[in-house]
Amino acid sequence: MFRRKSAPLLTYLSQKTELEGTLHAEGMLRVDGIVHGTVDVHGDMEISSTGLVEGPEVKAHNLVVHGVLKARVIAKGKLTLSRTARLEGDVIAGALEIEAGAYYTGFIETQDAKSLPPSRDLPELYGTTDTPSLNP
């Protein structure tokens, strides 16, 4: 008859937990500990300020990073880097938010780049044209 709406699934790795290998999770994942390996989350993921995730790839819908992430990142929704975040790796995301103080190194690609208006011709910048040298 009436079905209860089930609570969202939450997988939690505490601060004193260390995992090595491939992690698949349905629902939400919060990492306060350490993960060495590939992470695939069918939901949202959060890495706390004590969390470290290091591996070849991390996939999630929305991803919030307060700690350290060293991996290629695929976020179908939004990637958020807080002021305490440290991210090393290439990113493909639907949207990106980076707070002042966050550290990031890598390449960023947004998924909906084709929806942007076409680029217009930009004026030439002063000093970029070929001019004869003043020194013979």
Side-chain angles (χ1 to χ4, degrees), residues 2-136:
F2 295 105
R3 287 194 151 180
R4 268 191 185 183
K5 196 172 187 181
S6 61
L9 298 173
L10 172 64
T11 302
Y12 174 68
L13 297 176
S14 69
Q15 192 171 351
K16 300 202 181 229
T17 301
E18 186 168 350
L19 175 84
E20 189 167 337
T22 301
L23 174 61
H24 296 281
E26 292 290 329
M28 298 181 295
L29 172 66
R30 178 178 166 103
V31 178
D32 287 350
I34 299 171
V35 177
H36 297 285
T38 300
V39 178
D40 185 13
V41 180
H42 295 277
D44 297 341
M45 178 177 174
E46 181 178 5
I47 301 170
S48 77
S49 59
T50 61
L52 165 72
V53 177
E54 184 175 37
E57 189 171 80
V58 170
K59 290 182 183 179
H61 185 265
N62 293 309
L63 176 58
V64 178
V65 181
H66 302 286
V68 179
L69 175 57
K70 297 180 180 182
R72 178 174 185 257
V73 175
I74 300 173
K76 292 180 181 181
K78 182 166 131 178
L79 170 65
T80 303
L81 302 179
S82 76
R83 61 184 177 81
T84 59
R86 178 179 176 91
L87 173 59
E88 297 176 21
D90 294 340
V91 171
I92 298 173
L96 181 66
E97 181 179 335
I98 302 176
E99 290 182 6
Y103 174 82
Y104 172 71
T105 181
F107 175 78
I108 298 173
E109 177 184 332
T110 55
Q111 294 173 333
D112 292 332
K114 63 184 174 224
S115 65
L116 296 174
S119 64
R120 57 177 193 229
D121 291 333
L122 299 175
E124 289 186 33
L125 297 175
Y126 179 74
T128 59
T129 60
D130 292 333
T131 56
S133 173
L134 297 177
N135 296 329

